[in-house]
mmCIF file of all heavy atoms in Angstrom:
data_model
loop_
_atom_site.group_PDB
_atom_site.id
_atom_site.type_symbol
_atom_site.label_atom_id
_atom_site.label_comp_id
_atom_site.label_asym_id
_atom_site.label_seq_id
_atom_site.Cartn_x
_atom_site.Cartn_y
_atom_site.Cartn_z
ATOM 1 N N TYR A 1 -16.372 42.895 -20.691
ATOM 2 C CA TYR A 1 -16.643 42.297 -22.001
ATOM 3 C C TYR A 1 -16.596 40.769 -21.927
ATOM 4 O O TYR A 1 -17.464 40.078 -22.462
ATOM 5 C CB TYR A 1 -15.641 42.819 -23.038
ATOM 6 C CG TYR A 1 -15.840 42.221 -24.408
ATOM 7 C CD1 TYR A 1 -16.923 42.588 -25.196
ATOM 8 C CD2 TYR A 1 -14.940 41.280 -24.910
ATOM 9 C CE1 TYR A 1 -17.107 42.034 -26.456
ATOM 10 C CE2 TYR A 1 -15.118 40.720 -26.160
ATOM 11 C CZ TYR A 1 -16.202 41.102 -26.933
ATOM 12 O OH TYR A 1 -16.388 40.543 -28.170
ATOM 13 N N VAL A 2 -15.596 40.243 -21.247
ATOM 14 C CA VAL A 2 -15.460 38.786 -21.093
ATOM 15 C C VAL A 2 -16.628 38.241 -20.270
ATOM 16 O O VAL A 2 -17.182 37.182 -20.596
ATOM 17 C CB VAL A 2 -14.098 38.414 -20.464
ATOM 18 C CG1 VAL A 2 -14.016 36.931 -20.142
ATOM 19 C CG2 VAL A 2 -12.959 38.822 -21.389
ATOM 20 N N LEU A 3 -17.021 38.952 -19.224
ATOM 21 C CA LEU A 3 -18.164 38.524 -18.418
ATOM 22 C C LEU A 3 -19.431 38.434 -19.271
ATOM 23 O O LEU A 3 -20.214 37.482 -19.143
ATOM 24 C CB LEU A 3 -18.383 39.474 -17.243
ATOM 25 C CG LEU A 3 -17.363 39.382 -16.113
ATOM 26 C CD1 LEU A 3 -17.555 40.527 -15.132
ATOM 27 C CD2 LEU A 3 -17.472 38.046 -15.404
ATOM 28 N N GLN A 4 -19.615 39.387 -20.160
ATOM 29 C CA GLN A 4 -20.780 39.374 -21.046
ATOM 30 C C GLN A 4 -20.722 38.178 -21.993
ATOM 31 O O GLN A 4 -21.723 37.495 -22.195
ATOM 32 C CB GLN A 4 -20.846 40.679 -21.847
ATOM 33 C CG GLN A 4 -22.032 40.782 -22.771
ATOM 34 C CD GLN A 4 -22.030 42.089 -23.568
ATOM 35 O OE1 GLN A 4 -21.117 42.901 -23.456
ATOM 36 N NE2 GLN A 4 -23.057 42.281 -24.363
ATOM 37 N N LEU A 5 -19.553 37.921 -22.575
ATOM 38 C CA LEU A 5 -19.398 36.765 -23.462
ATOM 39 C C LEU A 5 -19.673 35.457 -22.724
ATOM 40 O O LEU A 5 -20.385 34.578 -23.233
ATOM 41 C CB LEU A 5 -17.991 36.721 -24.059
ATOM 42 C CG LEU A 5 -17.653 37.756 -25.115
ATOM 43 C CD1 LEU A 5 -16.189 37.626 -25.515
ATOM 44 C CD2 LEU A 5 -18.548 37.601 -26.331
ATOM 45 N N MET A 6 -19.108 35.338 -21.546
ATOM 46 C CA MET A 6 -19.274 34.095 -20.779
ATOM 47 C C MET A 6 -20.727 33.914 -20.339
ATOM 48 O O MET A 6 -21.219 32.789 -20.270
ATOM 49 C CB MET A 6 -18.332 34.072 -19.576
ATOM 50 C CG MET A 6 -16.847 34.065 -19.937
ATOM 51 S SD MET A 6 -16.350 32.823 -21.152
ATOM 52 C CE MET A 6 -16.678 31.325 -20.264
ATOM 53 N N ALA A 7 -21.432 35.012 -20.069
ATOM 54 C CA ALA A 7 -22.851 34.914 -19.702
ATOM 55 C C ALA A 7 -23.643 34.317 -20.857
ATOM 56 O O ALA A 7 -24.510 33.450 -20.647
ATOM 57 C CB ALA A 7 -23.401 36.289 -19.320
ATOM 58 N N GLY A 8 -23.352 34.741 -22.083
ATOM 59 C CA GLY A 8 -24.022 34.181 -23.255
ATOM 60 C C GLY A 8 -23.709 32.710 -23.449
ATOM 61 O O GLY A 8 -24.600 31.896 -23.746
ATOM 62 N N ILE A 9 -22.448 32.357 -23.279
ATOM 63 C CA ILE A 9 -22.036 30.954 -23.398
ATOM 64 C C ILE A 9 -22.736 30.114 -22.345
ATOM 65 O O ILE A 9 -23.276 29.037 -22.636
ATOM 66 C CB ILE A 9 -20.496 30.829 -23.280
ATOM 67 C CG1 ILE A 9 -19.828 31.417 -24.523
ATOM 68 C CG2 ILE A 9 -20.072 29.378 -23.040
ATOM 69 C CD1 ILE A 9 -18.338 31.613 -24.399
ATOM 70 N N ASN A 10 -22.762 30.594 -21.124
ATOM 71 C CA ASN A 10 -23.379 29.824 -20.036
ATOM 72 C C ASN A 10 -24.894 29.757 -20.153
ATOM 73 O O ASN A 10 -25.511 28.778 -19.721
ATOM 74 C CB ASN A 10 -22.917 30.354 -18.681
ATOM 75 C CG ASN A 10 -21.496 29.927 -18.384
ATOM 76 O OD1 ASN A 10 -21.083 28.822 -18.727
ATOM 77 N ND2 ASN A 10 -20.727 30.806 -17.771
ATOM 78 N N GLN A 11 -25.485 30.754 -20.765
ATOM 79 C CA GLN A 11 -26.929 30.697 -21.027
ATOM 80 C C GLN A 11 -27.225 29.556 -22.006
ATOM 81 O O GLN A 11 -28.153 28.776 -21.800
ATOM 82 C CB GLN A 11 -27.407 32.028 -21.592
ATOM 83 C CG GLN A 11 -28.901 32.136 -21.751
ATOM 84 C CD GLN A 11 -29.311 33.524 -22.225
ATOM 85 O OE1 GLN A 11 -28.528 34.247 -22.849
ATOM 86 N NE2 GLN A 11 -30.534 33.900 -21.921
ATOM 87 N N ALA A 12 -26.422 29.442 -23.044
ATOM 88 C CA ALA A 12 -26.591 28.350 -24.011
ATOM 89 C C ALA A 12 -26.312 26.999 -23.356
ATOM 90 O O ALA A 12 -27.005 26.010 -23.625
ATOM 91 C CB ALA A 12 -25.673 28.566 -25.213
ATOM 92 N N ARG A 13 -25.310 26.938 -22.495
ATOM 93 C CA ARG A 13 -24.988 25.684 -21.797
ATOM 94 C C ARG A 13 -26.138 25.265 -20.879
ATOM 95 O O ARG A 13 -26.449 24.086 -20.760
ATOM 96 C CB ARG A 13 -23.689 25.831 -21.003
ATOM 97 C CG ARG A 13 -22.449 25.949 -21.895
ATOM 98 C CD ARG A 13 -21.185 26.141 -21.076
ATOM 99 N NE ARG A 13 -20.890 24.985 -20.249
ATOM 100 C CZ ARG A 13 -20.242 23.893 -20.649
ATOM 101 N NH1 ARG A 13 -19.806 23.817 -21.894
ATOM 102 N NH2 ARG A 13 -20.014 22.898 -19.817
ATOM 103 N N ALA A 14 -26.778 26.236 -20.223
ATOM 104 C CA ALA A 14 -27.890 25.940 -19.316
ATOM 105 C C ALA A 14 -29.055 25.297 -20.077
ATOM 106 O O ALA A 14 -29.724 24.395 -19.554
ATOM 107 C CB ALA A 14 -28.346 27.202 -18.607
ATOM 108 N N LEU A 15 -29.280 25.734 -21.306
ATOM 109 C CA LEU A 15 -30.354 25.148 -22.119
ATOM 110 C C LEU A 15 -30.093 23.672 -22.430
ATOM 111 O O LEU A 15 -31.036 22.915 -22.683
ATOM 112 C CB LEU A 15 -30.517 25.928 -23.431
ATOM 113 C CG LEU A 15 -31.021 27.369 -23.289
ATOM 114 C CD1 LEU A 15 -30.981 28.085 -24.626
ATOM 115 C CD2 LEU A 15 -32.424 27.392 -22.688
ATOM 116 N N ARG A 16 -28.828 23.284 -22.398
ATOM 117 C CA ARG A 16 -28.450 21.878 -22.642
ATOM 118 C C ARG A 16 -28.163 21.145 -21.335
ATOM 119 O O ARG A 16 -27.565 20.072 -21.349
ATOM 120 C CB ARG A 16 -27.223 21.826 -23.558
ATOM 121 C CG ARG A 16 -27.476 22.400 -24.946
ATOM 122 C CD ARG A 16 -26.305 22.163 -25.890
ATOM 123 N NE ARG A 16 -25.035 22.623 -25.378
ATOM 124 C CZ ARG A 16 -24.442 23.766 -25.690
ATOM 125 N NH1 ARG A 16 -25.014 24.606 -26.518
ATOM 126 N NH2 ARG A 16 -23.269 24.087 -25.184
ATOM 127 N N ASN A 17 -28.523 21.757 -20.217
ATOM 128 C CA ASN A 17 -28.283 21.186 -18.882
ATOM 129 C C ASN A 17 -26.799 20.906 -18.634
ATOM 130 O O ASN A 17 -26.446 19.915 -18.007
ATOM 131 C CB ASN A 17 -29.106 19.910 -18.675
ATOM 132 C CG ASN A 17 -30.589 20.208 -18.630
ATOM 133 O OD1 ASN A 17 -31.006 21.184 -18.010
ATOM 134 N ND2 ASN A 17 -31.377 19.389 -19.302
ATOM 135 N N GLU A 18 -25.937 21.799 -19.125
ATOM 136 C CA GLU A 18 -24.495 21.681 -18.908
ATOM 137 C C GLU A 18 -24.058 22.667 -17.825
ATOM 138 O O GLU A 18 -24.676 23.724 -17.642
ATOM 139 C CB GLU A 18 -23.727 21.949 -20.207
ATOM 140 C CG GLU A 18 -24.003 20.929 -21.285
ATOM 141 C CD GLU A 18 -23.311 21.258 -22.602
ATOM 142 O OE1 GLU A 18 -22.710 22.352 -22.731
ATOM 143 O OE2 GLU A 18 -23.390 20.429 -23.503
ATOM 144 N N GLU A 19 -23.009 22.310 -17.119
ATOM 145 C CA GLU A 19 -22.456 23.162 -16.057
ATOM 146 C C GLU A 19 -21.906 24.457 -16.655
ATOM 147 O O GLU A 19 -21.367 24.466 -17.761
ATOM 148 C CB GLU A 19 -21.323 22.433 -15.331
ATOM 149 C CG GLU A 19 -21.765 21.203 -14.561
ATOM 150 C CD GLU A 19 -22.602 21.559 -13.344
ATOM 151 O OE1 GLU A 19 -22.282 22.553 -12.659
ATOM 152 O OE2 GLU A 19 -23.589 20.845 -13.090
ATOM 153 N N PRO A 20 -21.997 25.559 -15.916
ATOM 154 C CA PRO A 20 -21.388 26.810 -16.396
ATOM 155 C C PRO A 20 -19.861 26.699 -16.392
ATOM 156 O O PRO A 20 -19.286 25.890 -15.670
ATOM 157 C CB PRO A 20 -21.868 27.851 -15.386
ATOM 158 C CG PRO A 20 -22.268 27.083 -14.181
ATOM 159 C CD PRO A 20 -22.666 25.712 -14.641
ATOM 160 N N VAL A 21 -19.234 27.509 -17.222
ATOM 161 C CA VAL A 21 -17.772 27.516 -17.323
ATOM 162 C C VAL A 21 -17.253 28.926 -17.084
ATOM 163 O O VAL A 21 -17.977 29.903 -17.243
ATOM 164 C CB VAL A 21 -17.291 26.996 -18.701
ATOM 165 C CG1 VAL A 21 -17.617 25.527 -18.874
ATOM 166 C CG2 VAL A 21 -17.883 27.813 -19.832
ATOM 167 N N GLU A 22 -15.973 29.014 -16.712
ATOM 168 C CA GLU A 22 -15.285 30.288 -16.551
ATOM 169 C C GLU A 22 -14.367 30.509 -17.738
ATOM 170 O O GLU A 22 -13.989 29.572 -18.432
ATOM 171 C CB GLU A 22 -14.415 30.278 -15.290
ATOM 172 C CG GLU A 22 -15.162 30.393 -13.997
ATOM 173 C CD GLU A 22 -14.200 30.582 -12.843
ATOM 174 O OE1 GLU A 22 -13.418 29.655 -12.566
ATOM 175 O OE2 GLU A 22 -14.243 31.660 -12.238
ATOM 176 N N PHE A 23 -13.963 31.743 -17.930
ATOM 177 C CA PHE A 23 -13.003 32.060 -18.986
ATOM 178 C C PHE A 23 -11.673 31.374 -18.714
ATOM 179 O O PHE A 23 -11.195 31.345 -17.582
ATOM 180 C CB PHE A 23 -12.755 33.581 -19.058
ATOM 181 C CG PHE A 23 -11.616 33.932 -19.960
ATOM 182 C CD1 PHE A 23 -11.819 34.081 -21.311
ATOM 183 C CD2 PHE A 23 -10.324 34.063 -19.454
ATOM 184 C CE1 PHE A 23 -10.757 34.364 -22.161
ATOM 185 C CE2 PHE A 23 -9.258 34.359 -20.284
ATOM 186 C CZ PHE A 23 -9.481 34.509 -21.643
ATOM 187 N N ASP A 24 -11.062 30.842 -19.751
ATOM 188 C CA ASP A 24 -9.695 30.322 -19.710
ATOM 189 C C ASP A 24 -9.001 30.710 -21.003
ATOM 190 O O ASP A 24 -9.610 30.689 -22.081
ATOM 191 C CB ASP A 24 -9.668 28.791 -19.598
ATOM 192 C CG ASP A 24 -9.932 28.294 -18.198
ATOM 193 O OD1 ASP A 24 -9.384 28.874 -17.249
ATOM 194 O OD2 ASP A 24 -10.699 27.325 -18.058
ATOM 195 N N TYR A 25 -7.721 31.055 -20.907
ATOM 196 C CA TYR A 25 -6.893 31.149 -22.103
ATOM 197 C C TYR A 25 -6.687 29.727 -22.592
ATOM 198 O O TYR A 25 -6.495 28.807 -21.783
ATOM 199 C CB TYR A 25 -5.520 31.751 -21.769
ATOM 200 C CG TYR A 25 -5.510 33.225 -21.456
ATOM 201 C CD1 TYR A 25 -5.200 33.676 -20.179
ATOM 202 C CD2 TYR A 25 -5.761 34.171 -22.443
ATOM 203 C CE1 TYR A 25 -5.141 35.032 -19.883
ATOM 204 C CE2 TYR A 25 -5.708 35.535 -22.149
ATOM 205 C CZ TYR A 25 -5.396 35.953 -20.874
ATOM 206 O OH TYR A 25 -5.338 37.291 -20.588
ATOM 207 N N LEU A 26 -6.683 29.527 -23.909
ATOM 208 C CA LEU A 26 -6.569 28.182 -24.449
ATOM 209 C C LEU A 26 -5.464 28.075 -25.490
ATOM 210 O O LEU A 26 -5.163 29.033 -26.196
ATOM 211 C CB LEU A 26 -7.884 27.755 -25.116
ATOM 212 C CG LEU A 26 -9.106 27.654 -24.216
ATOM 213 C CD1 LEU A 26 -10.345 27.358 -25.042
ATOM 214 C CD2 LEU A 26 -8.898 26.590 -23.160
ATOM 215 N N LEU A 27 -4.902 26.883 -25.582
ATOM 216 C CA LEU A 27 -4.025 26.476 -26.676
ATOM 217 C C LEU A 27 -4.739 25.317 -27.349
ATOM 218 O O LEU A 27 -5.046 24.310 -26.691
ATOM 219 C CB LEU A 27 -2.651 26.027 -26.157
ATOM 220 C CG LEU A 27 -1.745 25.311 -27.160
ATOM 221 C CD1 LEU A 27 -1.366 26.220 -28.313
ATOM 222 C CD2 LEU A 27 -0.499 24.793 -26.468
ATOM 223 N N LEU A 28 -5.033 25.465 -28.624
ATOM 224 C CA LEU A 28 -5.754 24.444 -29.387
ATOM 225 C C LEU A 28 -4.933 24.032 -30.593
ATOM 226 O O LEU A 28 -4.089 24.790 -31.061
ATOM 227 C CB LEU A 28 -7.085 25.022 -29.909
ATOM 228 C CG LEU A 28 -7.981 25.735 -28.918
ATOM 229 C CD1 LEU A 28 -9.009 26.579 -29.650
ATOM 230 C CD2 LEU A 28 -8.658 24.720 -28.037
ATOM 231 N N CYS A 29 -5.218 22.851 -31.132
ATOM 232 C CA CYS A 29 -4.667 22.486 -32.437
ATOM 233 C C CYS A 29 -5.711 22.901 -33.462
ATOM 234 O O CYS A 29 -6.869 22.513 -33.382
ATOM 235 C CB CYS A 29 -4.374 20.996 -32.541
ATOM 236 S SG CYS A 29 -3.641 20.590 -34.154
ATOM 237 N N ASN A 30 -5.285 23.713 -34.432
ATOM 238 C CA ASN A 30 -6.192 24.273 -35.421
ATOM 239 C C ASN A 30 -6.071 23.582 -36.779
ATOM 240 O O ASN A 30 -6.422 24.143 -37.788
ATOM 241 C CB ASN A 30 -5.906 25.773 -35.549
ATOM 242 C CG ASN A 30 -7.067 26.539 -36.123
ATOM 243 O OD1 ASN A 30 -8.203 26.135 -35.981
ATOM 244 N ND2 ASN A 30 -6.769 27.648 -36.767
ATOM 245 N N LYS A 31 -5.541 22.369 -36.789
ATOM 246 C CA LYS A 31 -5.459 21.558 -38.006
ATOM 247 C C LYS A 31 -6.226 20.271 -37.754
ATOM 248 O O LYS A 31 -6.258 19.767 -36.649
ATOM 249 C CB LYS A 31 -4.006 21.183 -38.335
ATOM 250 C CG LYS A 31 -3.145 22.311 -38.791
ATOM 251 C CD LYS A 31 -2.995 22.282 -40.287
ATOM 252 C CE LYS A 31 -1.924 23.244 -40.745
ATOM 253 N NZ LYS A 31 -2.445 24.451 -41.304
ATOM 254 N N ILE A 32 -6.816 19.740 -38.799
ATOM 255 C CA ILE A 32 -7.431 18.421 -38.683
ATOM 256 C C ILE A 32 -6.275 17.434 -38.869
ATOM 257 O O ILE A 32 -5.893 17.094 -39.980
ATOM 258 C CB ILE A 32 -8.529 18.213 -39.746
ATOM 259 C CG1 ILE A 32 -9.556 19.334 -39.692
ATOM 260 C CG2 ILE A 32 -9.179 16.844 -39.582
ATOM 261 C CD1 ILE A 32 -10.269 19.485 -38.352
#
């Protein structure tokens, strides 16, 4: 499932000439 999600993300990145990325767990700040 993650491979499928990342394939979609990387397909969109390729259209913008961006490097592909791998899955990472993330910690984000969710407040402005």
